[in-house]
């Protein structure tokens, strides 16, 4: 152990008249630890929320959406074959979009209609895993009333259960002297799903392609092709390959482009949270500056003696730099351990429940990202080390003759 380390460690041990300085050092350690712990926990919760929201959105939507600029795709079967031949694509299915008024027993609300192919839709969107009753195959009705699948919140609002009847009213009807006549279709509830997102569970209804055509007035073709890819993070590359295969008359967007504004806002908020919580560590760094400045004032005579014995200015700087580094390192390490421990506890014991009609998950989501923990630890160490520079420099400026003149 060099004498700089030896002196730094001795200065950290409080004597009777230096207890106040040691108290400030302890507060500094706690400040750094609390700041690091808060950053780890908050960013882990934020990452878990963002990924949970992403999974919920992708669960009911495709990874890639293919549409034609003319408004509809006339040959969906041929387009699906072209898309399936693109590397990275696992499945594709045609879809028809529409809007309608859904009513039952005097209760009505607006709904977003999705016409799907029951045979292939389950391979593209993960909604079948969230079915409470029924399945996509329930939409196949060779005889009888057309079938519809509703979200659980929508079914609750309409007060209908599986097997009940509802009416779908679409404004895309034929023209008449009185204007546009609405299309009215009575359907049977064949199933219900629950995604956990109130917006989806209360505003989406699935029907088969033929039922969707009769409600939207689309005589042939479909509105789009939904695609599932192998690597969700590489969906943009697959989307670009599909666009090159189909040509410029098609619009191909991946899930990141479709929800670009939402995820860009979430990323910006994460950066803002990181900067705001870093201020806690900055406050602790100011405490480190105060503690070291008081140590320098208290130890002027010791510094002068060390210099008179041959210690250089660089050695004096290192003594107080090491002291601040020890405080910062202990605080950072304690904060990392406490933060990871709290994240583990919240993940294995979900004691904090969230309202399902507000958030896309029922419990506090936690996901620890090693890169985030590394950045937090490094930033805390850097801030605390910067805080030691001024007191260390002040200590090196002590002149032995002036400090010892009255001794």
């Amino acid at each position: 152990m060099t004498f700089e380390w030896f002196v730094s460690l001795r200065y950290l041990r409080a004597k009777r008249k230096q207890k106040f300085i040691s108290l400030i050092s302890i507060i500094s350690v706690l400040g750094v630890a609390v700041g690091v712990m808060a950053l780890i926990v908050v960013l882990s919760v934020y990452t878990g929320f963002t990924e949970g929201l992403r999974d919920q959105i992708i669960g009911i939507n495709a990874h890639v959406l293919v549409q034609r600029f003319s408004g509809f795709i006339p040959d969906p079967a041929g387009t699906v074959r072209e898309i399936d031949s693109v590397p990275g694509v696992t499945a594709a299915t045609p879809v028809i979009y529409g809007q309608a008024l859904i009513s039952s027993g005097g209760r009505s609300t607006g709904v977003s209609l999705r016409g799907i192919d029951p045979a292939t839709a389950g391979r593209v969107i993960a909604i079948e895993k969230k079915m409470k009753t029924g399945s996509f195959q329930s939409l196949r009705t060779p005889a009888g009333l057309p079938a519809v699948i509703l979200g659980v919140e929508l079914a609750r609002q309409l007060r209908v259960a599986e097997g009940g009847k509802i009416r779908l009213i679409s404004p895309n009807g034929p023209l008449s002297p009185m204007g546009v006549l609405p299309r009215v279709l009575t359907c049977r509830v064949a199933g219900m799903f629950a995604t956990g997102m109130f917006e989806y569970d209360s505003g989406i209804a699935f029907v088969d392609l033929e039922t969707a055509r009769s409600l939207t007035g689309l005589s042939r073709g479909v509105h789009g092709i939904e695609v599932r890819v192998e690597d969700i993070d590489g969906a943009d590359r697959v989307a670009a390959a599909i666009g090159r295969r189909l040509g410029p008359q098609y619009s191909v967007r991946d899930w990141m482009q479709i929800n670009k504004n939402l995820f860009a806002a979430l990323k910006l908020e994460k950066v803002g949270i990181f900067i705001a919580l870093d201020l806690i560590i900055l406050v602790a760094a100011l405490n480190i500056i105060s503690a070291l400045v008081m140590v320098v004032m208290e130890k002027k005579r010791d510094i002068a003696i060390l210099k008179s014995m041959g210690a250089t200015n660089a050695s004096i700087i290192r003594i107080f730099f090491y002291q601040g580094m020890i405080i910062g390192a202990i605080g950072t390490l304690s904060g990392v351990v406490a933060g990871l421990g709290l994240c583990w506890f919240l993940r294995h014991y979900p004691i904090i429940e969230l309202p399902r009609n507000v958030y896309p998950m029922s419990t506090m989501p936690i996901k620890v990202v090693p890169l985030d923990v590394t950045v937090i630890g490094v930033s805390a160490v850097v801030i605390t080390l910067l805080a030691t520079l001024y007191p260390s420099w002040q200590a090196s400026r002590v002149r032995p003759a002036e400090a010892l003149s009255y001794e």
Side-chain angles (χ1 to χ4, degrees):
M1 181 184 297
T2 62
F3 92 94
E4 291 96 339
W5 275 107
F6 177 78
V7 175
S8 296
L9 293 173
R10 286 296 299 267
Y11 282 174
L12 284 172
R13 301 170 190 171
K15 295 181 181 178
R16 185 176 303 173
K17 61 181 181 179
Q18 299 168 349
K19 285 185 177 180
F20 182 69
I21 298 175
S22 293
L23 176 63
I24 295 179
S25 299
I26 293 172
I27 293 174
S28 302
V29 170
L30 292 177
V32 174
V34 169
V36 170
M37 181 187 69
L39 266 172
I40 291 175
V41 173
V42 171
L43 291 185
S44 297
V45 171
Y46 202 84
T47 302
F49 175 81
T50 303
E51 293 205 356
L53 180 61
R54 184 199 68 179
D55 293 341
Q56 295 284 14
I57 290 175
I58 296 175
I60 201 169
N61 296 293
H63 297 166
V64 177
L65 177 61
V66 179
Q67 292 177 303
R68 193 180 174 96
F69 289 112
S70 61
F72 73 100
I73 299 174
D75 181 21
T79 307
V80 167
R81 286 193 297 271
E82 287 286 332
I83 294 172
D84 283 337
S85 64
V86 175
V89 173
T90 59
T93 184
V95 64
I96 296 175
Y97 300 107
Q99 300 290 328
L101 181 70
I102 186 170
S103 65
S104 173
R107 292 168 292 275
S108 61
T109 185
V111 67
S112 175
L113 279 179
R114 289 197 188 181
I116 61 173
D117 179 9
T120 59
R123 298 198 297 265
V124 176
I125 57 177
I127 197 67
E128 276 197 305
K129 298 178 181 178
K130 304 179 184 296
M131 296 290 292
K132 293 297 184 182
T133 60
S135 66
F136 280 167
Q137 304 306 317
S138 306
L139 294 176
R140 294 181 172 180
T141 54
L145 294 175
V148 61
I149 294 176
L150 307 177
V152 290
E153 291 296 333
L154 181 58
R156 184 185 61 80
Q157 292 174 21
L158 298 173
R159 297 182 185 176
V160 295
E162 186 180 9
K165 295 180 181 179
I166 55 94
R167 288 185 300 275
L168 289 173
I169 305 170
S170 172
N172 300 308
L175 292 174
S176 71
M178 301 297 294
V180 178
L181 295 177
R183 297 177 186 267
V184 182
L185 193 62
T186 301
C187 299
R188 172 182 56 87
V189 178
M192 290 180 286
F193 63 88
T195 65
M197 291 192 69
F198 184 80
E199 180 182 357
Y200 291 157
D201 293 342
S202 63
I204 294 180
F206 291 95
V207 295
D208 63 5
L209 291 175
E210 293 306 318
T211 304
R213 285 194 180 96
S214 64
L215 287 168
T216 60
L218 189 66
S219 58
R220 60 191 180 92
V222 295
H223 288 145
I225 305 293
E226 293 185 337
V227 182
R228 186 177 184 85
V229 301
E230 292 179 359
D231 180 15
I232 186 174
D233 294 321
D236 54 342
R237 296 189 295 271
V238 178
I242 293 173
R244 291 191 296 269
R245 177 65 61 88
L246 297 180
Q249 66 271 29
Y250 285 87
S251 168
V252 184
R253 295 178 296 164
D254 62 271
W255 65 272
M256 290 177 282
Q257 290 177 309
I258 296 173
N259 302 283
K260 182 179 179 180
N261 292 338
L262 173 62
F263 288 104
L266 290 175
K267 183 180 289 186
L268 182 61
E269 288 179 4
K270 185 176 182 179
V271 174
I273 290 174
F274 179 83
I275 295 173
L277 292 180
D278 252 348
L279 295 177
I280 300 176
I281 301 176
L282 183 60
V283 171
L286 295 177
N287 288 335
I288 294 175
I289 294 175
S290 301
L292 292 181
V293 167
M294 284 189 286
V295 171
V296 171
M297 295 174 63
E298 177 72 23
K299 301 297 183 180
K300 276 189 176 181
R301 186 183 65 176
D302 296 3
I303 296 170
I305 293 173
L306 287 173
K307 280 194 169 185
S308 64
M309 294 175 64
T312 63
N313 289 341
S315 297
I316 302 299
I317 289 175
R318 281 196 291 270
I319 289 172
F320 292 94
F321 182 81
Y322 291 159
Q323 187 174 352
M325 184 176 66
I326 293 170
I327 294 173
I330 294 174
T332 301
L333 183 60
S334 302
V336 169
V337 172
L340 295 178
L342 185 56
C343 288
W344 179 89
F345 179 81
L346 292 176
R347 187 166 53 189
H348 289 79
Y349 301 96
I351 58 176
I352 301 177
E353 296 185 356
L354 304 176
R356 295 186 65 88
N357 61 339
V358 178
Y359 299 98
M361 57 282 295
S362 59
T363 58
M364 184 76 75
I366 300 289
K367 180 168 183 181
V368 178
V369 179
L371 179 61
D372 287 349
V373 177
T374 303
V375 171
I376 291 168
V378 170
S379 64
V381 170
V382 169
I383 290 174
T384 53
L385 289 182
L386 291 176
T388 64
L389 295 180
Y390 175 74
S392 302
W393 176 72
Q394 283 290 101
S396 68
R397 296 184 62 194
V398 173
R399 297 179 180 179
E402 294 181 0
L404 298 174
S405 60
Y406 297 103
E407 296 296 331

